[in-house]
Every structure is written in structure tokens, then in C-alpha cells.
Amino acid sequence: NPKGYVLLLRHSLAPGSGDPANFRLDDCSTQRNLSDEGRVDAREIGEWLKRREVKIARVESSRWCRAKETAQLLDIGKVRLNRNLDSLFLETDLENHPATLKVRKKIINYRNKSGLLVLVGHYVNIAALTEVGVNSGEGVLVRADSKGVIRVVGVTPELD
């Protein structure tokens, strides 16, 4: 049974970039949210994973509404919110940001666990961990090696 696989998934389509100036975490109406197309995409990504009969160990999500909704629409397990997956859009030095370091450590600590760990988040966070730029609803499959280096194993296909 393959161990240690983590899917870093970017939320599906939420038109625009960044967040409005009046952004509040507890109020989705102040955030950039999924479009209808984004919602359809999120469901399709979940179906795609189910068809492959991937054993899902856990699903974690950023607390941003667009990520949380993506994670819920995947319909592959209970969604646990993880503040370390929250958008770092306005931050600097992302690779050494405490949240990035915590997620990096989580991936490394997951090395000998089975089932897929799905982490739903944001473009900048995924790029800080993997140096891969993902489109909306795309993911990067990663796994840490024995030296604690996070390797990109694959990138999800465009599900058009």
C-alpha cells in the first residue's frame, strides 16, 4: 500500500484575485467565492477521485469560504479546517512563513501513513511548498522522502 501521499488541491474557480478590502473570515459575502462552474468542477474532482477508488485518509481545508466549499463539494470525507492552509496572498517570504513550515512538517510527518491526505488551499501556499503554479481546481500530488524533501509526484489533469 503506497504511503505518504498528500494532494495539495487549489480551490476551484472563484473569479477575480485576492480578496475584497472588506474581507472577513466569518462572512462569505465579503469573500471571493466559487462560481457555479467552480462548484461543478469541485464535484467533478471528487467524482474523479472516487472513480479511482483512492482511499482518503483525511480532508483538511483553509478556512476561506472558497476552499472550504471546494473541500465539502468533493464529498470524500469530513472536512477539517486548518488555519495553516489559509491564503498567504498578502504575506511575504512565503517559503519561511510559519504556516508554510507547519504544512511542510505535516507532509513530512505523513510519510509513513497510508491513504491520501487531501489539503485544500490556495495558489500562493501551494507554490511556496512545491514551486508549482496550479490553476483553479488543480492539485499537486506530493510525498516527502526519507530526508524530508518534499517531492512532486504528479499534477492532476485538467478535468474539462
Side-chain angles (χ1 to χ4, degrees):
N1 219 358
K3 294 192 186 311
Y5 285 97
V6 180
L7 178 62
L8 299 168
L9 185 67
R10 182 181 177 193
H11 62 78
S12 49
L13 191 64
S17 79
D19 275 294
N22 65 337
F23 172 89
R24 287 205 357 249
L25 191 56
D26 61 353
D27 183 352
C28 293
S29 73
T30 66
Q31 301 183 32
R32 228 176 86 215
N33 291 298
L34 299 186
S35 62
D36 289 341
E37 184 186 339
R39 290 186 181 97
V40 168
D41 283 350
R43 287 188 192 97
E44 284 178 354
I45 297 160
E47 291 300 323
W48 183 82
L49 287 166
K50 288 178 202 166
R51 279 200 302 276
R52 276 157 187 72
E53 294 175 14
V54 177
K55 181 183 175 294
I56 308 294
R58 252 181 110 91
V59 181
E60 295 184 15
S61 165
S62 143
R63 296 176 299 167
W64 265 234
C65 295
R66 57 185 176 271
K68 196 164 57 176
E69 189 179 5
T70 298
Q72 288 161 344
L73 289 170
L74 293 172
D75 190 31
I76 53 174
K78 180 176 185 288
V79 178
R80 295 173 174 84
L81 300 181
N82 179 343
R83 66 177 56 237
N84 296 313
L85 299 172
D86 290 356
S87 177
L88 296 175
F89 187 69
L90 297 174
E91 304 288 333
T92 51
D93 191 19
L94 299 184
E95 287 179 30
N96 298 304
H97 189 282
T100 305
L101 299 177
K102 286 191 178 119
V103 175
R104 181 181 297 280
K105 191 171 173 204
K106 181 185 267 287
I107 295 168
I108 292 166
N109 290 344
Y110 196 71
R111 205 173 70 239
N112 296 312
K113 305 231 170 60
S114 51
L116 182 66
L117 173 61
V118 179
L119 304 178
V120 183
H122 305 266
Y123 178 94
V124 287
N125 306 52
I126 295 170
L129 285 161
T130 64
E131 295 176 4
V132 175
V134 282
N135 289 322
S136 300
E138 281 188 340
V140 184
L141 187 66
V142 298
R143 188 168 183 264
D145 67 16
S146 57
K147 295 184 177 67
V149 176
I150 294 175
R151 308 243 175 239
V152 172
V153 185
V155 178
T156 60
E158 279 277 3
L159 300 174
D160 283 336

